[in-house]
Amino acid sequence: MSKQTVLEIYGHSPKTKQIVKALKGERTEIQLTNLVGSSFSFVFASIFKDIDNPFLLICNDKEEAAYYLNDLEQFLGEKNLLFYPGSYRRPYQIEETDNANILLRAEVLNRINSQKKPAIIVTYPDALFEKVITKSELNRNSINLKTGEEISLDFINELLFEYHFKRVDFVTEPGDFAVRGGIIDVFSFSNEDPYRIEFFGDEIESIRTFDIETQLSIDKINRIKIMPNVENKLLEEKRENFLRYIVNKTIVFVKDKNILCAKLDKLFDKAERTFKDLSGEIVHTKPGELFCNGSEIVNQLQDYTLVNFGNPDHSKNNLKEIRFNIKPQPSFNKQFDLLIENLRENSKRGISNYLFCDNQKQAQRFHDIFEDIDGEVQYKTFVLPLYQGFIDEDPKIACYTDHQIFDRYHKFRLKSSFNKKQSISLKELTSLEIGDYVTHIDHGIGKFGGLQKIDVEGKTQEAIKLIYGDRDVLYISIHSLHKISKYNGKDGKAPKIYKLGSGAWKKLKQKTKKRVKEIAYDLIKLYAKRKMQKGISYSPDSYLQHELEASFMFEDTPDQLTATIDVKKDMESEQPMDRLVCGDVGFGKTEIAIRAAFKAIDNGKQVAILVPTTILAFQHFKTFSERLKDFPITIDYLNRFRSTKQRNEILKG
């Protein structure tokens, strides 16, 4: 069964068709009542498919906006959706911005300006609070280039400096540019990948996007717009509120106009107070030139077709209201008897049950739990993470989310394309200082001598200079970065640097390989002995084990899931378990231990957990107690602060 099933139900719904008909008529204001949780996402997506106008969705806060964005991305695809965040600039920190958010804001402005196919823009009050550069100012401050165009490379170089782009050796984030011979790499604020512009004389020969990590081309394109930082102080002379930027035919969906107005006024009041305090530092600038108050935005909304989908606006008598018959998902508090009873009751009333899960593992857990406790229920599962569940009495469907059933944390996901690539070798390379030790896999440890331009067969290329013993020098192409890494050794001890071609590095590698083989041989002997021993073979997971794991607040990371499976596989084997689970602080190692301990207890065993400190003993006691409070398990702890009587009672128990 596809994820489009429920979407099709709303696509054919009489109320959805009623909304579409009203929106296709004269400009009006509509009130949608009782659209609870993700039912709004289904209705919204169905409307968008039937209307050619662009949509603007204004939620109450960033978190809510992100959740609705994730819902809609699954129904309509990422190409149809744009997220418009705040830049994180505050009135008291005018120069401080967040590049990931600026890129997303610029992407929205560029999409509106490019007259491409209408899209959905999702935003919230903090983002609307900041005024944006006008269309005319944006066009005047953008650089339009196309292949075959004649333009001086030096002219583009000067223009990029003028627009406050930063010249670097390698581009890694928006606002960077690099010049190498007849090539300019530039990271525009309106595109998630940087551009590589290749010149032949003064003619643009080719334009490509490329991956900053691999430096390999992604797409070849004919025309680009290089957009500067739209939040830059340089461009703050002429600004307007975002609603003036979007076209008049845009249909605006607002969750709650009163909350929107109140939040904007609160932000604006804070800006006014701050500007008053900083009046001696900020000259010729008023809050109204940079920020919007509530009345400015709410009054501007009257110029658009408006759809309210939150609390009804009782101040307007002529408001066209479309009322849905939808209720929120009931609260089950991880009690499966209540869930099964509710699902059965729904089936008796002719309501179809749909369970929406974050992943296939959660869907399988529902199946296993219902099967283990002999819960005969009619339901269908979707691997489709939804914001919030609901029951709609009209089409007779109940859509429940697994994270609400198990009281798990549901995480939203926002695109931040260049941030994921911050820990790349190029980034590490630019952080190296002259004299730092670097290890080359073929030539050994040398000193970093910086980036240098060298002539290779008549062409100027950039290379990494490494200095070895007796002042030997090795130049490494930037395309061979995978062969070098920053040296890591004993603290404060300088490594030995050998002469190039001396064979010392080769001998050291051979010696190390030999030692590793010896250690491996000893380990094989040890594990062969362990294989001969018999241990306790635990039973497969029961429904209680499935219930415990499904109730984990967060979604398992891939590594966490793999470790859990491996540990349980060991426990179900006849051989004694010998496994080390490694991970950074906060990566979920304790959760794996809890699941393993619970499996042992579920098989009639007792569990002892050894920790290195007194404080950790108490901390783990609290963690295990909180996690297992809904299960019939006795948990206690021993440390030097417990009295002799308490210790004896615990050991006796």
Side-chain angles (χ1 to χ4, degrees):
M1 195 175 205
S2 73
K3 67 182 181 183
Q4 298 296 324
T5 304
V6 182
L7 195 58
E8 287 170 5
I9 291 171
Y10 282 99
H12 297 110
S13 162
K15 286 180 179 174
T16 304
K17 290 181 177 179
Q18 189 182 350
I19 298 168
V20 171
K21 185 179 177 181
L23 293 176
K24 284 183 175 179
E26 293 182 5
R27 186 177 293 165
T28 182
E29 186 167 346
I30 302 171
Q31 175 67 49
L32 307 181
T33 308
N34 291 339
L35 268 181
V36 177
S38 289
S39 65
F40 169 75
S41 304
F42 285 110
V43 172
F44 185 93
S46 301
I47 297 167
F48 181 73
K49 286 188 169 185
D50 288 338
I51 293 179
D52 292 330
N53 300 49
F55 283 19
L56 175 66
L57 172 58
I58 305 173
C59 300
N60 286 341
D61 53 53
K62 181 181 179 179
E63 186 176 275
E64 185 180 69
Y67 282 127
Y68 279 128
L69 177 80
N70 290 166
D71 275 3
L72 295 169
E73 280 174 339
Q74 296 176 96
F75 302 143
L76 301 170
E78 291 187 9
K79 288 185 179 179
N80 290 314
L81 281 140
L82 296 165
F83 187 63
Y84 186 70
S87 70
Y88 284 160
R89 178 182 58 187
R90 292 293 174 260
Y92 46 88
Q93 292 174 326
I94 285 185
E95 298 294 347
E96 186 174 316
T97 52
D98 183 281
N99 268 356
N101 282 1
I102 293 169
L103 191 144
L104 291 172
R105 284 170 71 88
E107 187 181 4
V108 171
L109 299 183
N110 193 39
R111 178 68 174 264
I112 296 169
N113 219 16
S114 65
Q115 299 178 336
K116 286 184 181 177
K117 185 182 174 183
I120 298 165
I121 299 168
V122 183
T123 190
Y124 53 98
D126 295 55
L128 297 178
F129 169 62
E130 300 176 48
K131 289 189 174 180
V132 298
I133 182 175
T134 62
K135 282 188 181 181
S136 58
E137 193 77 7
L138 179 62
N139 289 328
R140 193 171 64 82
N141 286 283
S142 297
I143 307 169
N144 294 289
L145 300 173
K146 61 182 179 180
T147 53
E149 181 181 0
E150 289 203 2
I151 188 169
S152 166
L153 188 148
D154 292 335
F155 175 72
I156 295 176
N157 184 38
E158 289 175 16
L159 211 54
L160 290 170
F161 272 122
E162 188 180 329
Y163 291 155
H164 288 203
F165 278 78
K166 182 176 64 176
R167 184 162 178 173
V168 293
D169 293 315
F170 302 99
V171 299
T172 57
E173 60 183 12
D176 287 351
F177 82 100
V179 181
R180 290 191 299 276
I183 296 173
I184 289 184
D185 290 346
V186 58
F187 208 144
S188 168
F189 276 90
S190 60
N191 198 61
E192 60 186 58
D193 292 306
Y195 299 117
R196 177 160 290 156
I197 307 157
E198 198 162 349
F199 285 80
F200 183 76
D202 281 345
E203 182 184 331
I204 297 176
E205 189 174 36
S206 69
I207 303 172
R208 291 163 289 164
T209 55
F210 68 94
D211 187 289
I212 59 174
E213 187 171 2
T214 64
Q215 295 288 299
L216 297 176
S217 298
I218 300 171
D219 287 318
K220 195 170 183 178
I221 44 184
N222 294 321
R223 188 184 296 270
I224 60 168
K225 176 184 275 190
I226 300 172
M227 190 184 289
N229 183 348
V230 292
E231 309 301 330
N232 197 297
K233 198 173 179 183
L234 170 76
L235 305 176
E236 282 179 354
E237 295 170 4
K238 296 178 182 177
R239 302 182 81 82
E240 60 189 2
N241 78 55
F242 179 71
L243 294 180
R244 289 189 180 275
Y245 204 92
I246 61 176
V247 293
N248 286 336
K249 65 177 183 177
T250 302
I251 298 171
V252 182
F253 289 74
V254 182
K255 181 68 180 283
D256 194 309
K257 278 197 290 186
N258 293 328
I259 291 177
L260 172 65
C261 188
K263 285 195 171 186
L264 287 169
D265 282 341
K266 186 177 179 181
L267 288 167
F268 195 82
D269 288 345
K270 186 172 183 178
E272 278 193 316
R273 290 196 303 272
T274 307
F275 273 51
K276 188 177 179 181
D277 294 340
L278 299 176
S279 57
E281 300 173 32
I282 301 173
V283 185
H284 305 308
T285 307
K286 296 177 181 177
E289 294 173 13
L290 300 177
F291 307 110
C292 301
N293 58 27
S295 59
E296 183 178 353
I297 293 294
V298 172
N299 290 339
Q300 191 71 44
L301 289 174
Q302 296 173 8
D303 294 343
Y304 301 92
T305 296
L306 192 63
V307 181
N308 303 293
F309 65 98
N311 296 324
D313 188 354
H314 298 293
S315 63
K316 294 193 175 182
N317 299 323
N318 60 342
L319 201 63
K320 183 176 179 63
E321 184 175 10
I322 298 171
R323 185 176 288 273
F324 287 80
N325 192 12
I326 301 176
K327 297 183 294 186
Q329 173 176 329
S331 178
F332 300 109
N333 296 318
K334 296 182 276 190
Q335 297 182 40
F336 280 88
D337 52 343
L338 293 179
L339 174 63
I340 291 169
E341 186 183 332
N342 180 268
L343 295 176
R344 286 174 177 164
E345 183 63 31
N346 287 344
S347 298
K348 284 179 187 176
R349 294 171 53 211
I351 295 174
S352 300
N353 296 312
Y354 299 114
L355 302 181
F356 289 84
C357 307
D358 283 357
N359 50 61
Q360 188 60 50
K361 183 71 176 174
Q362 283 292 87
Q364 184 61 40
R365 281 170 180 157
F366 275 118
H367 173 76
D368 294 340
I369 290 168
F370 291 149
E371 192 176 68
D372 282 350
I373 59 178
D374 198 23
E376 290 185 14
V377 290
Q378 293 181 331
Y379 69 96
K380 291 184 174 70
T381 57
F382 292 93
V383 179
L384 179 70
L386 278 188
Y387 175 29
Q388 290 176 343
F390 59 92
I391 302 171
D392 194 337
E393 298 285 353
D394 291 336
K396 297 289 182 182
I397 59 170
C399 298
Y400 294 166
T401 68
D402 67 323
H403 62 87
Q404 285 177 284
I405 292 171
F406 294 116
D407 287 338
R408 297 172 73 237
Y409 175 68
H410 181 51
K411 187 179 180 182
F412 60 77
R413 302 169 309 281
L414 290 177
K415 182 172 71 173
S416 182
S417 55
F418 83 89
N419 265 359
K420 67 185 177 185
K421 298 173 180 176
Q422 289 296 300
S423 58
I424 58 171
S425 52
L426 281 177
K427 194 77 176 178
E428 289 175 5
L429 182 65
T430 53
S431 68
L432 285 174
E433 295 182 2
I434 304 291
D436 283 353
Y437 293 106
V438 175
T439 304
H440 190 289
I441 194 167
D442 297 325
H443 302 287
I445 302 163
K447 282 187 179 181
F448 179 65
L451 292 167
Q452 294 202 357
K453 290 178 182 176
I454 59 173
D455 187 76
V456 181
E457 295 180 355
K459 289 186 178 179
T460 301
Q461 290 188 9
E462 203 138 24
I464 301 143
K465 182 181 179 183
L466 297 182
I467 303 165
Y468 286 86
D470 290 349
R471 297 185 180 179
D472 285 349
V473 174
L474 179 69
Y475 290 101
I476 309 294
S477 167
I478 60 166
H479 301 294
S480 299
L481 288 177
H482 60 282
K483 290 195 169 187
I484 65 171
S485 60
K486 190 169 182 178
Y487 169 77
N488 289 310
K490 291 180 180 178
D491 292 339
K493 188 175 180 182
K496 180 136 183 165
I497 298 177
Y498 299 100
K499 188 178 183 300
L500 277 176
S502 66
W505 177 248
K506 190 176 179 181
K507 287 178 185 175
L508 183 61
K509 284 205 295 184
Q510 287 174 342
K511 186 179 176 183
T512 306
K513 283 179 183 177
K514 184 182 176 184
R515 181 69 185 126
V516 168
K517 282 181 182 177
E518 289 172 359
I519 294 169
Y521 176 73
D522 291 340
L523 284 172
I524 289 167
K525 279 173 60 180
L526 176 66
Y527 277 89
K529 287 180 182 177
R530 291 184 66 84
K531 280 283 183 185
M532 302 297 291
Q533 295 177 345
K534 290 273 185 180
I536 299 164
S537 178
Y538 292 92
S539 304
D541 291 354
S542 68
Y543 81 93
L544 284 171
Q545 185 81 29
H546 292 306
E547 188 177 328
L548 170 77
E549 291 177 16
S551 66
F552 184 45
M553 272 192 70
F554 307 98
E555 185 179 339
D556 289 358
T557 64
D559 288 343
Q560 201 174 22
L561 186 61
T562 302
T564 302
I565 292 168
D566 288 344
V567 166
K568 290 194 290 188
K569 187 178 175 183
D570 285 350
M571 293 178 74
E572 290 170 18
S573 167
E574 287 188 346
Q575 273 88 36
M577 179 165 71
D578 181 20
R579 182 170 293 276
L580 177 67
V581 178
C582 301
D584 286 341
V585 175
F587 272 55
K589 300 185 297 296
T590 306
E591 174 63 21
I592 295 167
I594 289 169
R595 294 177 188 183
F598 187 86
K599 187 174 181 70
I601 293 163
D602 197 25
N603 279 260
K605 303 294 181 184
Q606 294 187 69
V607 176
I609 296 150
L610 304 179
V611 294
T613 66
T614 303
I615 293 172
L616 268 179
F618 183 64
Q619 284 179 347
H620 276 67
F621 165 71
K622 286 173 68 179
T623 303
F624 274 70
S625 299
E626 178 62 29
R627 188 72 177 88
L628 301 172
K629 65 183 178 184
D630 297 325
F631 299 92
I633 296 170
T634 302
I635 304 168
D636 216 321
Y637 72 100
L638 285 168
N639 66 17
R640 61 192 172 88
F641 293 121
R642 307 306 300 265
S643 66
T644 304
K645 184 182 177 183
Q646 287 173 325
R647 290 182 203 173
N648 290 336
E649 285 176 357
I650 291 166
L651 292 171
K652 186 180 177 183

